[in-house]
């Protein structure tokens, strides 16, 4: 090994405008809202049920201001009434109580002298700097050897870590042998392949480009173990929580990592191992747990951001998402008032970016094809540009469909021949990979994420299932509110959190899916409220019911509306009265997606109902919405017309589960890809007409 030693401390790395409006034109079916199509001819769907025609507006001319995405036309925009109680999580009396209890605590701990001093500013900054600038490194390692005294300092730092009951359960096995490293590399490669096979296609493509270890590229590998038997039988703090032993070893890893960074040493943590196989391959005592396999060496540079972020694999979650005050869900940074998740999300929703939108129209004109020849897809590409504020827009891949599952009290009214248990059974089917949504998701390379937001059965913990049950099914909307206002809000928050989670995990498109026997009844009721249509016009056959059941279902919707007299200006009140948990969660997914400037592809009638609610809460939410398909349900047409959304696929599907949205995903991806890959007239030397 040659080459100079790197220095021990390397230098530190150092208008929106509203958009196009609809101009209603007789007989036309809406195009995607707030976007100006370039094709000279409007794209027309069968006009049946087109209750509220919405027309297209011409593409903005140069220098012309682009106006607001008044999604469905100003005269229909509901007056949003945010109820004060929706936006406040603390009641005045609760605050008083808190003040009293804080006073009591303060009394109990009266300071008697000066507190122990902290570090001076420069020292504190050095500590924080090493934490900020520590990186997991897999690329750019050098073969320079690590001097013994440097490695010793790093190991000493690791050994000063806190540990449960001061049991110090760690050991450090320092490996330099090329042969051992080759063996470990082979083991990791096998697990890498197994992991790659488990990924949805959209993810697997991205993963192929990632380096996940540097076992052979680093002069030193360190295995950090935890001995769960160390410290005797009565280790303090491990009595009920045996996992504290490996946690303690993980803290030693962090110390090691930070000390290494200060020495200018890069560290890469490899966890692509079958632990038992590894213990055997390394000849470790069988009772040890392997906590970490670390690759250590000098590096060319430390990236500013995690390599996974740079590769677009993940995003950093803001601190404000993860700090709660007093109780989980009351998010507040120290010194700030708790913020309401819904209000915060709504406040972050913005219209499409006019500049990126203008660039998209320009680019579409310069691409080697007749202007407008990609029809509706040109409109979607412009929407994606305006949403992402980038032209060309990011290709919406990988994508994930969130299937929200819930049951409905209105099932008791005989609105469907399917028993309620089918909801839970289908959830199991989604998780087992046996449903249509799974086949379609496999085909288009998307991830399936199932969220129990209100299934009337206890679902066992299963990979891929997010347990977020608000209650085991809504109440019967014909005899009382389906949910309380608080429940409706909590379900919306589940949707917002799901959007945050999927986007932070690197998804660049979200798709709505839902499962809930009897949920088309709730969908019809919601659509009737927000479109003003008669229940008979928007109540459909759902999973396929006979005339008699359809008549009963329509009557049930009518009765529920008569009973509640829901006010569309109070969207959360409407949801609580006649909605479903999965509708509320989809509302949250739409709002969450829009706030994160991530496109959301809507599935069928229930997604349409949810989009109406979301629009009533935040009209600009439509900037992120793409109608995946048009279902066979009459209510869906009414919803799409009201929303001013033109569906991409129209195949008489009436399944739900996100199936229509999944089919539309490749269309949305294709339009973004065309923006990236299609040559322009100038670049290709093609003569324009
Ligand atoms: C417990 C643990 C296991 C990890 N396993 C791997 C791994 O097998 N392969 C890999 O490339 N990175 C692995 N990492 C590194 C993470 O990807 C990395 O910490 C994360 O992306 C954040 O980047 P940063 O450490 O540079 O801030 C692991 C990190 C931790 C904490």
């Amino acid at each position: 090994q040659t080459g100079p030693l790197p220095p021990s401390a390397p230098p530190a790395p150092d208008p929106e405008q509203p958009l196009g409006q609809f101009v209603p034109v007789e007989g036309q079916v809406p195009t995607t809202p707030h976007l100006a199509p370039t094709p000279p001819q409007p794209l027309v769907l069968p006009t049946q049920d087109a209750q509220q025609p919405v027309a297209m507006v011409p593409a903005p001319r140069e220098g012309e201001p682009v106006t607001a995405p008044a999604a469905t036309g100003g005269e229909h925009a509901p007056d949003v009434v945010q109820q004060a109680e929706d936006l406040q999580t603390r009641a005045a009396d609760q605050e008083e109580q808190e003040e009293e209890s804080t006073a009591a605590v303060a009394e109990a701990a009266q300071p008697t002298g000066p507190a122990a001093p902290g570090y001076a500013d420069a020292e504190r900054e050095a500590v924080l700097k090493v934490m900020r600038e520590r990186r997991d490194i897999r690329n750019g390692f050098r073969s320079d050897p690590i001097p013994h005294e440097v490695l010793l300092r790093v190991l000493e730092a690791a050994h000063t870590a806190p540990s449960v009951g001061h049991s110090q359960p760690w050991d450090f096995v320092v490996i330099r042998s090329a042969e051992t490293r080759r063996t470990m590399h082979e083991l990791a490669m096998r697990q890498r392949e197994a992991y790659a096979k488990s990924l949805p296609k959209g993810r697997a493509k991205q993963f192929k480009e990632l380096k996940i270890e540097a076992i052979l590229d680093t002069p030193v590998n360190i295995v950090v173990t935890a001995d769960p038997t160390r410290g005797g039988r009565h280790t303090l703090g491990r009595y009920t929580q045996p996992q504290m032993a490996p946690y303690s070893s993980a803290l030693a890893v962090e110390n090691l990592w930070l000390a290494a960074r200060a020495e200018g040493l890069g560290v890469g943590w490899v966890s692509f191992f079958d632990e038992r196989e590894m213990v055997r391959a390394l000849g470790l005592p069988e009772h040890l747990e392997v906590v970490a396999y670390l690759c250590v060496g000098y590096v060319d540079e430390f990236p500013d951001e995690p390599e996974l972020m740079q590769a677009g694999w993940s995003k950093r979650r803001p601190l404000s998402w993860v700090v709660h005050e007093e109780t989980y869900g009351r998010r507040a940074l120290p010194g700030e008032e708790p913020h309401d998740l819904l209000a915060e999300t709504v406040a972050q929703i913005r219209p499409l970016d006019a500049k990126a939108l203008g660039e998209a129209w320009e680019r579409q004109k310069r691409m080697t094809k007749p202007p407008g020849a990609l029809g509706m897809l040109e409109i979607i590409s412009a929407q994606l540009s305006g949403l992402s504020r980038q032209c060309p827009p990011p290709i919406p891949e990988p994508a994930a469909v969130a299937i929200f599952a819930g049951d409905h009290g209105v099932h008791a009214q005989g609105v469907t021949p399917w028993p309620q248990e089918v909801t839970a059974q289908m959830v199991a089917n989604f998780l087992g990979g046996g449903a249509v949504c799974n086949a379609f998701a496999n085909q288009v390379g998307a991830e399936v994420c199932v969220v129990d937001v209100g299934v009337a059965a206890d679902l066992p913990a299963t990979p891929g299932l997010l347990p977020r049950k608000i209650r085991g099914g809504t109440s019967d909307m014909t005899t009382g509110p389906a949910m309380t206002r608080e429940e409706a809000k909590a379900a919306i928050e589940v949707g917002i959190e799901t959007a945050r989670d999927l986007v932070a995990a690197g998804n660049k498109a979200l798709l709505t899916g839902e499962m809930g026997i009897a949920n088309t009844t709730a969908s019809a009721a919601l659509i009737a409220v927000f479109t003003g249509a008669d229940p008979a016009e928007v109540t459909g056959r759902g999973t396929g019911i006979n005339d008699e059941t359809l008549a009963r279902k329509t009557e049930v919707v009518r009765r529920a509306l008569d009973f509640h007299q829901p006010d569309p200006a109070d969207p959360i009140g409407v949801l609580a009265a006649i909605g479903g948990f999965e509708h509320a969660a989809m509302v949250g997914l739409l709002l969450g997606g829009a706030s994160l400037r991530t496109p959301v592809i809507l599935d069928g009638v229930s997604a349409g109902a949810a989009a109406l609610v979301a629009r009533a809460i935040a009209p600009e939410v439509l900037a992120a919405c793409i109608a995946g398909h048009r279902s066979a349900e009459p209510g869906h047409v009414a919803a799409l017309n009201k929303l001013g959304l033109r569906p991409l696929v129209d195949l008489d599907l009436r399944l739900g589960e996100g199936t229509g949205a999944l089919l539309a995903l490749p269309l949305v991806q294709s339009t973004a890809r065309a923006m990236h890959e299609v040559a322009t007239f100038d670049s290709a030397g093609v003569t324009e007409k």
Side-chain angles (χ1 to χ4, degrees), residues 181-484:
R181 284 186 292 129
R182 260 196 305 278
T183 307
M184 297 314 291
H185 182 254
E186 273 163 32
L187 296 185
M189 283 304 97
R190 255 200 280 137
Q191 295 301 330
R192 180 192 167 111
E193 271 167 44
Y195 174 66
K197 278 198 192 128
S198 77
L199 291 173
K201 258 187 284 171
R203 277 267 165 197
K205 252 196 242 170
Q206 237 185 343
F207 181 64
K208 234 196 291 171
E209 309 296 319
L210 289 179
K211 191 161 179 338
I212 49 110
E213 50 79 32
I215 298 172
L216 299 178
D217 316 337
T218 44
V220 170
N221 291 182
I222 301 176
V223 184
V224 184
T225 60
D227 184 342
T229 62
R230 190 170 294 166
R233 189 165 164 193
H234 304 291
T235 296
L236 186 154
R238 213 180 51 197
Y239 180 61
T240 45
Q241 297 189 268
Q243 69 276 28
M244 292 302 152
Y247 287 1
S248 301
S249 293
L251 293 170
V253 175
E254 175 70 348
N255 272 13
L256 183 157
W257 215 335
L258 294 170
R261 175 63 187 88
E263 299 283 355
L265 283 171
V267 175
W269 184 327
V270 189
S271 51
F272 277 75
F273 291 108
D274 172 319
E275 195 182 329
R276 287 298 104 194
E277 192 176 46
M278 186 181 192
V279 165
R280 277 195 302 277
L282 292 169
L284 299 173
E286 283 284 336
H287 72 282
L288 292 189
E289 294 174 29
V290 178
V291 172
Y293 190 97
L294 306 173
C295 306
V296 186
Y298 288 104
V299 290
D300 290 332
E301 59 171 346
F302 289 91
D304 290 343
E305 296 286 359
E307 289 185 27
L308 290 184
M309 266 178 79
Q310 291 179 331
W313 180 267
S314 62
K315 289 191 171 149
R316 194 182 288 288
R317 298 170 70 90
L319 182 64
S320 62
W321 289 9
V322 296
V323 180
H324 310 250
E325 192 179 276
E326 302 294 345
T327 52
Y328 189 91
R330 256 168 64 115
R331 287 176 183 74
L333 290 176
E336 287 180 5
E337 280 301 301
H339 50 262
D340 179 89
L341 182 55
L342 174 58
E344 179 194 45
T345 304
V346 168
Q348 283 163 353
I349 298 175
R350 296 273 180 283
L352 298 175
D353 179 65
K355 184 164 166 283
L357 195 58
E359 282 169 19
W361 292 129
E362 267 313 300
R363 192 178 180 89
Q364 284 289 357
K365 274 194 238 154
R366 286 189 288 110
M367 281 156 63
T368 46
K369 60 172 182 56
L374 288 180
M376 178 70 187
L377 294 188
E378 295 194 9
I379 299 170
I380 300 288
S381 74
Q383 180 180 4
L384 294 175
S385 297
L387 183 65
S388 62
R389 300 181 174 140
Q390 286 174 45
C391 179
I395 295 171
E397 184 179 53
V401 57
I403 305 182
F404 296 101
D407 276 307
H408 296 265
V410 75
H411 183 273
Q413 296 296 323
V415 290
T416 166
W418 294 84
Q420 196 164 58
E421 303 87 85
V422 173
T423 303
Q425 290 161 357
M426 282 306 292
V427 165
N429 196 18
F430 302 149
L431 294 168
V436 179
C437 64
N438 301 107
F440 286 7
N442 285 343
Q443 180 58 36
V444 302
E447 173 182 337
V448 175
C449 162
V450 187
V451 188
D452 171 10
V453 72
V455 178
D458 287 337
L459 303 178
T462 315
L465 175 67
L466 304 187
R468 305 285 187 273
K469 203 192 296 286
I470 308 291
R471 177 154 58 96
T474 55
S475 306
D476 182 352
M477 65 163 112
T478 61
T479 55
M483 321 168 220
T484 64

Side-chain angles (χ1 to χ4, degrees), residues 76-109:
H76 301 292
D79 295 325
V80 177
V81 178
Q82 290 280 12
Q83 303 270 324
E85 64 261 38
D86 295 327
L87 304 178
Q88 277 176 4
T89 50
R90 320 161 53 116
D93 57 343
Q94 192 184 350
E95 279 180 22
E96 273 165 28
Q97 278 170 13
E98 277 168 17
E99 273 160 27
E100 277 166 26
S101 71
T102 314
V105 170
E107 246 168 40

